[in-house]
Amino acid sequence: SRTNGVLTSPSPSPSPSPGKAMAWPRSTPGSRASSFAHRTLHRLDTTDALLHANMAVVGFSSPSSPDSASPPPAEHGTTDTSVQPSPDALHILNGPQAPPPPLQLPDSMAPPAAKGAMADAVPNGARGTGLIRRISSRLSRRRRSTTQSNTRDRSSGPLMHSPAFNRSEEAVDVDDGLDDVAVALPAYSPGSGAPTPALAGVGPVVPSLLQRGTVLTKVTKKKRKTLKFVLDLAAAKVCWDPARPTKRFYVDDIRDVRLGADARNYREECQVPAEVEPRWFTVLYADQQRSKGRPIKAIHLIAPNDLVFHYWTNTLRALGRHRMNVMTGFAGLSEASLRALWERETSRHAAPASARGEPDGRLNFADVEQFCHRLHLLHAPDDLRRYFAHADRDGSGLLDFTGFKHFVKAIRDRKDLRLLFAAHAADPDAGLDQGEFLAFLARVQGVPVADDGGYWTQVFEKYAVKDGWWGRLPSADDEAEPTDRMKLEGFAAFMVSPSNAALHHASGAVALHRPLSEYFVSSSHNTYLLGRQVAGESSTEAYIWALERGCRCVEVDCWDGPDGRPVVNHGRTLTSSVLFADCIAVIGKYAFASSPYPLIVSLEVHCCPEQQVAMADILRAMLGARLVTEPFITNAFVLPSPEELKHRILIKVKAGDPVDDAVALHPLAGGRRHRSISSPTTRAALMDTSATWAARPALHPPPSTPPRRSPSLWDSAATRRHITAGTGGTGGTGVSLSSATEDSDSKDGGPGAERRTKTKASKIVKPLGDLAVYTRGQKYTHFARPESKTYNHVFSFSERTVENLCRDADLKAQLEQHNLRCLMRVYPAGYRITSSNFNPNKYWRRGVQMVALNWQTYDLAMQMNDAMFAAGADRTGYVLKPKELRRSRQSLDLELAASPAYVRKARKLVRFSIDVISGQQLPRSRNAGPEQHIHPYVELEVFCADDSAKGVATGQGGRDASARNGMSGIGSPHRRRTRIVPGNGYNPLFDDQFTIAVETKFPSLVFLRWTVGSSPDGRSYGDRNGALASFTAKLDSLQEGYRHLPLFDNKGEQFLFSTLFCRFTKQETLTVARGEVKASKVETWKLLGRSVFGRTSTPERKKSLEAS
């Protein structure tokens, strides 16, 4: 309890001992809420008594009256970069208590985290103790690597970007009077590809209370435990069971610390009363061992009082930010920052040096080697000894500060950048003047400098400064002085800056004025899942992660829940559940976190009518005015544009009132057209699907009746045969263990499937179905049916259904024609129980707008999806489809035929070259020992959207690793590899050039992937541990010139230091004849038949017989 702001002991009661588990209190239904809250608060008060006993040990006073309280001594920051413990004599404040400022750390300017993929498993509660789960848990246990743990305990900071420590709104007290040190680092995000300055040199003050341990309540859905949590400052980890090494997490692994309303859904799931919310916090952290298949874990904690709450939350955030700054601050060091690093290292080794009889203020080779390992500077030992010997000018075997500066400069030297700088500076010693710098941008980097000369002048001034203050404009208080020359150090800082990003930036204001159907939409399948499809975790965390990464179409599978509250899970599987209301609340909060353009919520409904009504009420209440509930204009036959739908949320759900074929007729079939499934308030005019669609004036009402049209693909003979056919099998949509295919919009999707003459009655109640205005789900029967021509319907197909449809030439043409004007969604087949993905290019080339993928799996498909929406205006989650997918084939043929350079069945010849120059601090395998080094090489893959055929993609340079038969296209990427650099993963020089040519129908759907591998012996290719890192980009998104490419691990997390330095050059795209691609395929099969079966073609056999 608290009296006048002073903690006092509660009345005597049995005190639980730390580590003792206590089940949540049970009570009768009538008194459950009040009794539960009373008992919970009582036990939390009891925990305060444990805290007082603990505070007595660590130096806190626990007075019984306000008079005995004394103010705490001041805690001071330090210019040393090491983390400092607070004084032992700490006391509780007297009087009204405000959140204490226990930490002093400058505002972080670390680079923003990549919108790269989050790890794919965040637990949202305890798993059950069923037999299957227990067996799975035991089978998934692996022995923890002692070497890896020891290496992490000695690390000075993280290797990966952490979003928790890159946010500007962190509630950490900062002393603005401290002398900050500006530094720069080559760290990237997919959109920027470049670093931002970070601040280092000031260590946070960590309360000794946390280092000695405090009592916290660890909460799960089923129970809670009162445990002692200890912050191990030397290893930067939090432990709560010393006897079990798995009961800990590292500060560097923290992905977020959720407080208050941000963690409310977790508290409500654990049925903890609202009174505890001010002291509740949830820590999300990466599990490197992936126990139970979950790379991310969540731990829910309740502090006994406000003081301990603020100590833990502020310390975890500030310590993480500080360690990030230490790592990012190594590149671009100024004199002051180097001095801070030097003082930290000499103080760390002062006692051992004194014991060895060495003079103070010097470092031997072992000390310097440990310094490099802590900063993950994994040079070969021979290289480090050579650098050390060069810096040891007096030959004493010890380095003073001057020698340390020479050593640091040697290990940071970039020969590739030095040569590039010398090639473009008339006087390299004097540096680049502004004219030379702008000429370099225009001629080499392909930058239209004339379009924005003022901006590039500012960039030059930003990096043309003295004394290493690169990355920000100098102020009057800075030591840096502006000059008229850019030195090598400033040039190197520019090359890794956001101004020299690998991907295009958005130029000017983004405006998406075309109809919604003309865009590819970043879409997710079973968004709520964080792991496998059958036994994975369901969590609202998955929606946060997807929406923050730019997803614009999320899926919600709804089932009947207890107490009349619908839940979300993968039905008829072993996945856990989360409340529908919690999902919608999170969606509403984060809907526009990364993009202001419309969000589509795809509902798969399996609820009873009563809970469907509850769903409609929840949607209206939580989404409010952002929810689109009626059309913008009446009698529309065109979808609105993303610009018109800005900051609006669309609901995709099946119609509440089905179409009756007897009354909802095609206008050309005669008869009166009655109300269709367009919306609850207006009719949807049937579209003219063959007319060329000119640019639509915004919000102008269309004609009351659509114009008559000439026969098109909709009325082909194949269509009529398909409608009247009464025989045939069912479509191959795949067998699912859940209801995904049962409730899909394409239950019968294959060619020749039997069609019903009457549409099946909808299971959706009208209040819920009325929310689908522009995205109304419709069961597919055929593209010629009336419901297929309403402008606002959406077909959802399994990947196998689309494959079956595309086997028939007429149906494939009709599917592509449908996607010119109407929306379509494709999701993974039911057999993908491991949450694998299909190649999205197979469906983007058909004009499918919403290609929904399993975002929790960072495979090639997700890498391509990230690349599709990674650059410039594409980061909004909407990408304008290429012209050939927005206009009918007939209109394009007519337009092209009028051109004098018309070529029938023409394709585009895309040509480009890539120089893979060098790598920077390439990652090693997680199982590698501290002395183990890699033998890196880089593999370049080229993906296109054309059917696999011989000669689709060709290349020169490096080593060809493509298919031996020369096939390339869908399923067969063209591959080339650099040479192997033995034993150097820190700064390998590859110096390989690749020249690539791709003959394709879809130039905008060409993707490139760089993969870093390691040779097992330094001579042969291939690595049993798989790829070490990768980066994928859309060809159209890449900027020309010299660029640093960010690298990601196999979970989609961005490495903090690892990059590839490349040069990219594009050539003019040519229009060429299609060639003999099909003939090449036939010749390949003939050759195979001759070699395997010893057969020849019929004419050849005939000639042979005649000759004999």
Side-chain angles (χ1 to χ4, degrees):
S1 61
R2 188 184 306 275
T3 304
N4 295 328
V6 179
L7 291 174
T8 58
S9 300
S11 57
S13 61
S15 299
S17 59
K20 182 178 179 181
M22 292 187 294
W24 288 106
R26 304 290 182 181
S27 60
T28 60
S31 60
R32 178 178 181 181
S34 59
S35 176
F36 176 78
H38 173 75
R39 296 184 185 183
T40 301
L41 292 176
H42 173 71
R43 290 178 178 176
L44 290 176
D45 289 339
T46 304
T47 308
D48 282 345
L50 294 175
L51 178 68
H52 288 295
N54 188 33
M55 288 189 291
V57 175
V58 300
F60 271 92
S61 62
S62 180
S64 57
S65 64
D67 298 334
S68 60
S70 59
E75 300 177 7
H76 300 282
T78 173
T79 56
D80 183 12
T81 57
S82 60
V83 182
Q84 301 296 317
S86 65
D88 287 336
L90 299 177
H91 303 277
I92 304 298
L93 293 175
N94 187 12
Q97 183 174 345
L103 307 166
Q104 297 179 0
L105 185 70
D107 287 329
S108 174
M109 297 177 64
K115 288 187 177 181
M118 191 195 77
D120 60 297
V122 180
N124 204 13
R127 286 174 179 250
T129 56
L131 178 62
I132 293 178
R133 295 195 186 280
R134 282 182 286 165
I135 294 176
S136 175
S137 175
R138 296 196 178 193
L139 290 178
S140 63
R141 290 177 184 171
R142 297 184 184 138
R143 181 170 296 178
R144 194 172 299 274
S145 172
T146 305
T147 302
Q148 181 180 353
S149 298
N150 293 337
T151 302
R152 296 210 63 189
D153 288 350
R154 296 192 299 265
S155 172
S156 291
L159 276 174
M160 315 300 295
H161 278 281
S162 177
F165 308 134
N166 291 325
R167 295 174 181 169
S168 59
E169 71 272 15
E170 298 292 349
V172 179
D173 295 286
V174 177
D175 186 356
D176 294 333
L178 296 175
D179 294 329
D180 301 336
V181 180
V183 296
L185 166 81
Y188 307 84
S189 65
S192 66
T196 55
L199 296 177
V202 179
V205 178
V206 178
S208 61
L209 172 66
L210 305 187
Q211 302 175 57
R212 298 177 184 270
T214 69
V215 173
L216 298 175
T217 303
K218 182 175 177 289
V219 183
T220 65
K221 284 185 177 180
K222 294 188 176 181
K223 61 182 180 181
R224 67 173 186 160
K225 285 185 178 180
T226 303
L227 301 169
K228 182 179 180 181
F229 283 74
V230 179
L231 174 60
D232 185 345
L233 192 58
K237 62 182 178 182
V238 177
C239 308
W240 58 92
D241 189 348
R244 302 173 64 183
T246 58
K247 301 301 181 182
R248 57 102 179 99
F249 63 84
Y250 286 90
V251 174
D252 295 340
D253 289 336
I254 294 178
R255 295 297 175 259
D256 206 353
V257 180
R258 299 277 171 81
L259 316 174
D262 291 337
R264 184 172 299 159
N265 60 302
Y266 290 121
R267 178 184 58 77
E268 292 176 348
E269 285 177 7
C270 295
Q271 299 183 7
V272 175
E275 290 84 351
V276 180
E277 183 170 293
R279 290 176 284 152
W280 173 290
F281 62 102
T282 296
V283 180
L284 303 176
Y285 62 95
D287 179 17
Q288 303 298 343
Q289 301 298 323
R290 298 180 68 92
S291 60
K292 300 181 181 179
R294 302 172 304 189
I296 291 289
K297 288 185 176 181
I299 182 170
H300 312 300
L301 302 170
I302 302 175
N305 54 58
D306 293 341
L307 180 67
V308 175
F309 171 82
H310 287 292
Y311 269 178
W312 273 111
T313 55
N314 285 356
T315 299
L316 291 178
R317 288 176 166 179
L319 184 58
R321 289 163 65 99
H322 169 72
R323 289 174 63 84
M324 177 75 72
N325 291 342
V326 167
M327 301 300 291
T328 60
F330 185 72
L333 294 174
S334 66
E335 181 82 9
S337 186
L338 271 177
R339 174 69 68 176
L341 278 176
W342 167 257
E343 291 177 355
R344 186 189 69 171
E345 292 302 313
T346 52
S347 62
R348 186 192 299 270
H349 299 286
S354 177
R356 294 192 300 264
E358 297 176 355
D360 294 337
R362 292 199 170 198
L363 299 176
N364 60 23
F365 176 76
D367 299 336
V368 171
E369 189 175 29
Q370 291 180 20
F371 162 77
C372 292
H373 285 171
R374 279 193 296 271
L375 291 178
H376 305 286
L377 306 176
L378 302 178
H379 261 293
D382 293 340
D383 292 338
L384 287 180
R385 288 188 179 275
R386 186 172 68 253
Y387 297 146
F388 185 88
H390 180 72
D392 183 15
R393 301 299 175 90
D394 57 5
S396 63
L398 299 173
L399 295 183
D400 56 10
F401 179 62
T402 302
F404 180 73
K405 286 195 299 182
H406 287 295
F407 176 81
V408 170
K409 183 178 180 180
I411 63 176
R412 293 175 54 243
D413 182 46
R414 289 281 303 273
K415 296 180 180 179
D416 48 2
L417 291 181
R418 181 154 32 91
L419 293 174
L420 180 63
F421 180 76
H424 293 88
D427 185 357
D429 294 333
L432 285 170
D433 61 24
Q434 183 172 331
E436 292 171 337
F437 175 71
L438 297 180
F440 167 76
L441 294 178
R443 293 199 304 262
V444 180
Q445 301 297 87
V447 175
V449 177
D451 295 345
D452 197 356
Y455 168 76
W456 293 110
T457 299
Q458 291 181 358
V459 171
F460 175 80
E461 295 172 352
K462 186 176 184 179
Y463 295 96
V465 294
K466 294 181 179 180
D467 195 35
W469 290 82
W470 317 294
R472 64 187 177 98
L473 291 173
S475 64
D477 298 331
D478 290 336
E479 300 174 6
E481 297 179 6
T483 68
D484 57 353
R485 294 273 178 171
M486 181 184 291
K487 300 289 188 176
L488 173 61
E489 293 81 1
F491 178 77
F494 162 76
M495 292 300 293
V496 297
S497 70
S499 301
N500 194 51
L503 303 180
H504 284 291
H505 295 286
S507 56
V510 177
L512 310 180
H513 291 299
R514 302 297 301 169
L516 197 63
S517 58
E518 296 194 15
Y519 292 88
F520 295 126
V521 184
S522 181
S523 305
S524 169
H525 169 249
N526 288 353
T527 314
Y528 51 88
L529 284 181
L530 296 160
R532 297 168 296 178
Q533 300 289 310
V534 176
E537 295 283 344
S538 302
S539 173
T540 56
E541 201 65 41
Y543 289 101
I544 298 174
W545 167 61
L547 293 171
E548 287 184 339
R549 288 178 58 197
C551 183
R552 295 289 85 199
C553 178
V554 297
E555 185 177 14
V556 185
D557 289 355
C558 313
W559 295 80
D560 288 334
D563 303 325
R565 298 189 298 175
V567 296
V568 175
N569 62 46
H570 202 200
R572 300 168 188 160
T573 64
L574 301 177
T575 57
S576 60
S577 299
V578 61
L579 287 176
F580 175 78
D582 289 344
C583 293
I584 299 303
V586 166
I587 290 173
K589 181 176 181 179
Y590 292 91
F592 306 104
S594 62
S595 171
Y597 289 96
L599 173 68
I600 301 172
V601 179
S602 179
L603 299 181
E604 185 178 313
V605 183
H606 305 272
C607 297
C608 64
E610 293 76 14
Q611 295 206 15
Q612 289 187 39
V613 174
M615 289 173 55
D617 294 340
I618 291 171
L619 289 168
R620 289 180 179 273
M622 292 189 171
L623 303 182
R626 295 173 297 173
L627 186 66
V628 176
T629 57
E630 58 184 19
F632 295 158
I633 55 176
T634 57
N635 293 324
F637 65 91
V638 175
L639 288 170
S641 68
E643 201 69 33
E644 296 167 356
L645 292 168
K646 233 175 180 180
H647 294 106
R648 304 302 294 272
I649 299 176
L650 302 173
I651 301 297
K652 174 193 168 294
V653 69
K654 284 186 172 60
D657 48 339
V659 169
D660 190 340
D661 290 348
V663 295
L665 299 177
H666 191 282
L668 297 181
R672 182 170 58 93
R673 183 187 60 177
H674 286 244
R675 178 178 173 184
S676 71
I677 63 170
S678 167
S679 74
T681 60
T682 185
R683 300 181 301 178
L686 301 178
M687 298 183 312
D688 177 5
T689 55
S690 64
T692 301
W693 189 6
R696 176 175 65 96
L699 298 180
H700 281 284
S704 57
T705 57
R708 297 181 64 87
R709 57 180 176 85
S710 59
S712 69
L713 286 170
W714 304 112
D715 304 314
S716 65
T719 298
R720 292 189 292 271
R721 287 195 305 270
H722 182 63
I723 295 177
T724 56
T727 61
T730 59
T733 58
V735 179
S736 174
L737 296 177
S738 72
S739 61
T741 53
E742 172 191 308
D743 196 53
S744 71
D745 298 342
S746 56
K747 189 172 182 179
D748 300 316
E754 182 178 359
R755 303 298 171 200
R756 299 186 179 124
T757 58
K758 192 81 171 179
T759 303
K760 182 179 178 181
S762 173
K763 299 183 296 183
I764 306 301
V765 299
K766 191 174 185 302
L768 183 59
D770 286 352
L771 297 180
V773 178
Y774 292 118
T775 50
R776 176 148 294 197
Q778 178 62 46
K779 181 76 70 175
Y780 167 78
T781 54
H782 196 273
F783 291 114
R785 296 293 292 253
E787 61 268 18
S788 299
K789 304 202 179 77
T790 54
Y791 79 101
N792 62 345
H793 77 274
V794 183
F795 283 150
S796 287
F797 289 134
S798 167
E799 57 175 302
R800 284 191 166 184
T801 301
V802 178
E803 291 176 1
N804 290 338
L805 290 172
C806 291
R807 289 192 180 103
D808 183 277
D810 284 341
L811 289 177
K812 180 177 72 172
Q814 293 178 33
L815 182 144
E816 294 174 353
Q817 187 81 1
H818 169 276
N819 294 337
L820 297 177
R821 307 292 181 264
C822 304
L823 296 176
M824 182 177 291
R825 179 177 177 270
V826 175
Y827 55 87
Y831 67 84
R832 298 184 181 272
I833 59 176
T834 59
S835 297
S836 61
N837 288 303
F838 50 74
N839 187 340
N841 251 352
K842 296 173 63 176
Y843 307 99
W844 282 331
R845 65 176 178 171
R846 305 300 179 203
V848 177
Q849 295 87 357
M850 293 175 281
V851 178
L853 300 176
N854 293 310
W855 282 44
Q856 63 268 39
T857 304
Y858 194 69
D859 51 12
L860 172 62
M862 268 308 301
Q863 294 170 30
M864 293 174 66
N865 188 83
D866 282 353
M868 170 66 85
F869 303 95
D874 298 346
R875 300 184 68 184
T876 60
Y878 287 85
V879 174
L880 185 66
K881 294 194 289 187
K883 183 172 64 175
E884 56 268 21
L885 296 177
R886 292 186 285 121
R887 298 179 59 182
S888 65
R889 187 177 305 172
Q890 295 92 332
S891 64
L892 285 174
D893 288 342
L894 289 174
E895 179 182 324
L896 293 174
S899 172
Y902 172 69
V903 179
R904 188 173 181 270
K905 294 184 177 180
R907 293 196 173 196
K908 300 295 184 181
L909 183 62
V910 180
R911 300 169 298 166
F912 57 92
S913 63
I914 296 177
D915 298 356
V916 181
I917 301 171
S918 63
Q920 292 76 45
Q921 293 186 245
L922 300 181
R924 302 181 304 163
S925 172
R926 293 189 182 276
N927 299 325
E931 304 299 330
Q932 184 177 346
H933 298 279
I934 64 173
H935 313 291
Y937 64 89
V938 178
E939 180 177 273
L940 176 68
E941 297 173 281
V942 182
F943 302 90
C944 61
D946 300 83
D947 290 326
S948 181
K950 191 172 183 178
V952 172
T954 57
Q956 295 178 347
R959 176 170 178 171
D960 190 357
S962 305
R964 293 183 178 180
N965 57 8
M967 304 289 283
S968 55
I970 292 284
S972 301
H974 182 76
R975 294 187 177 96
R976 308 202 78 82
R977 289 172 176 166
T978 67
R979 67 184 184 93
I980 298 172
V981 180
N984 184 4
Y986 181 77
N987 56 356
L989 289 174
F990 300 105
D991 283 331
D992 270 319
Q993 182 181 41
F994 305 134
T995 302
I996 308 294
V998 182
E999 185 180 304
T1000 176
K1001 292 170 60 179
F1002 311 100
S1004 60
L1005 296 180
V1006 176
F1007 293 83
L1008 307 176
R1009 179 168 72 162
W1010 290 260
T1011 303
V1012 178
S1014 178
S1015 169
D1017 53 9
R1019 297 182 301 275
S1020 58
Y1021 291 90
D1023 188 359
R1024 291 176 297 177
N1025 295 322
L1028 300 178
S1030 65
F1031 172 69
T1032 306
K1034 187 169 59 173
L1035 180 63
D1036 287 350
S1037 299
L1038 286 169
Q1039 297 196 88
E1040 292 190 80
Y1042 293 91
R1043 313 286 174 173
H1044 285 85
L1045 308 181
L1047 293 176
F1048 298 81
D1049 68 359
N1050 58 3
K1051 296 184 295 183
E1053 295 185 0
Q1054 183 186 348
F1055 288 102
L1056 195 59
F1057 306 103
S1058 304
T1059 59
L1060 289 176
F1061 186 48
C1062 301
R1063 184 184 184 184
F1064 181 64
T1065 306
K1066 295 181 183 179
Q1067 299 181 28
E1068 183 182 359
T1069 300
L1070 303 176
T1071 301
V1072 296
R1074 184 173 183 180
E1076 299 295 332
V1077 176
K1078 290 188 176 181
S1080 300
K1081 296 172 71 173
V1082 173
E1083 292 298 328
T1084 301
W1085 285 107
K1086 284 183 178 180
L1087 181 61
L1088 180 63
R1090 292 170 188 168
S1091 60
V1092 177
F1093 303 103
R1095 296 182 178 180
T1096 59
S1097 61
T1098 302
E1100 292 172 341
R1101 289 200 302 269
K1102 184 177 181 180
K1103 291 179 181 179
S1104 178
L1105 290 174
E1106 290 175 352
S1108 62

